[in-house]
Amino acid sequence: STGWVYREHGPRHGAAFGYVQVFLPDDRADDLLQFVLTVGQSLPLLACVGGHTAAWNTAHRATAFMALRPWCRRYLGLDAQDPDVAGRRAHEALPGTSWLTLLGPALQGRLPPDAGLDAPWSEPVTVLPLNHGALVRAGDAPTLGDANTLLYPRAYAEVAHRLAPLLPEEPPEFPAWDADAKETAAWMRRFTAPEGWR
């Protein structure tokens, strides 16, 4: 279904940045791409991640992430976000990578020059420069990357490898995931260190 979440944070709410989430049906990927392009051309931002994701009820956060964990093990292309938590580190790290990953100027400037967005790509990855950053698109359409059917999202993996320096070293743990095993960090690095996420 279609949905919209807008959360504004200011100094009185702590250090987290505000965010917008847009939810569209699976067959509206082109609309999502156009929306992200419009935002990146029009508004200053830190980062944006777009693709298959899970929506969850904030009143049942722990239960939602408990249910989401096995989905993330099966579907490598599924994105999981806790934007209220990720917003606390948005100025220094990407919240993840997906089909669409938009980097604001601050994050884009932190990429190593020899492995930046201008270096050649071996998979069908497109980089679109925008007024307020750059959009990295991994393939023509989003994919779930179903491990049970051996569908490995190679373009997603290449983007994740290239943007790995921008991911947080120790992201805040998702609720109901194993904090001792640092499962959230393992999931965020599922493409760059797959042995940690099985």
Side-chain angles (χ1 to χ4, degrees), residues 10-14:
R12 63 188 174 92
H13 297 295

Side-chain angles (χ1 to χ4, degrees), residues 71-90:
W71 297 354
C72 288
R73 289 211 183 273
R74 176 175 176 178
Y75 300 107
L76 296 177
L78 179 65
D79 186 38
Q81 291 292 329
D82 190 349
D84 284 310
V85 175
R88 296 184 196 129
R89 295 186 176 185

Side-chain angles (χ1 to χ4, degrees), residues 35-45 102 128-133:
F35 176 79
V36 172
L37 288 170
T38 300
V39 169
Q41 287 287 61
S42 309
L43 301 170
L45 49 77
L102 198 157
L128 303 167
L130 303 172
N131 290 337
H132 298 283

Side-chain angles (χ1 to χ4, degrees), residues 5-138:
V5 176
Y6 172 75
R7 189 70 173 262
E8 187 171 337
H9 290 287
R12 63 188 174 92
H13 297 295
F17 288 87
Y19 62 87
V20 173
Q21 290 180 295
V22 176
F23 300 97
L24 297 172
D26 286 350
D27 61 355
R28 303 266 308 273
D30 288 342
D31 292 337
L32 178 63
L33 174 60
Q34 289 307 312
F35 176 79
V36 172
L37 288 170
T38 300
V39 169
Q41 287 287 61
S42 309
L43 301 170
L45 49 77
L46 295 168
C48 171
V49 180
H52 289 293
T53 191
W56 47 275
N57 187 324
T58 55
H60 303 284
R61 187 169 174 262
T63 303
F65 275 90
M66 190 182 305
L68 182 56
R69 186 172 167 266
W71 297 354
C72 288
R73 289 211 183 273
R74 176 175 176 178
Y75 300 107
L76 296 177
L78 179 65
D79 186 38
Q81 291 292 329
D82 190 349
D84 284 310
V85 175
R88 296 184 196 129
R89 295 186 176 185
H91 62 287
E92 63 188 33
L94 267 177
T97 60
S98 190
W99 174 52
L100 303 176
T101 308
L102 198 157
L103 305 176
L107 287 175
Q108 191 178 350
R110 290 184 46 215
L111 281 173
D114 58 336
L117 301 180
D118 294 333
W121 299 84
S122 55
E123 295 298 324
V125 174
T126 307
V127 178
L128 303 167
L130 303 172
N131 290 337
H132 298 283
L135 178 63
V136 183
R137 184 176 68 184

Side-chain angles (χ1 to χ4, degrees), residues 97 123 138 152-163 191-192:
T97 60
E123 295 298 324
Y152 186 71
R154 293 182 179 278
Y156 283 38
E158 186 172 12
V159 169
H161 277 273
R162 188 76 60 94
L163 302 182
F191 293 116
T192 58

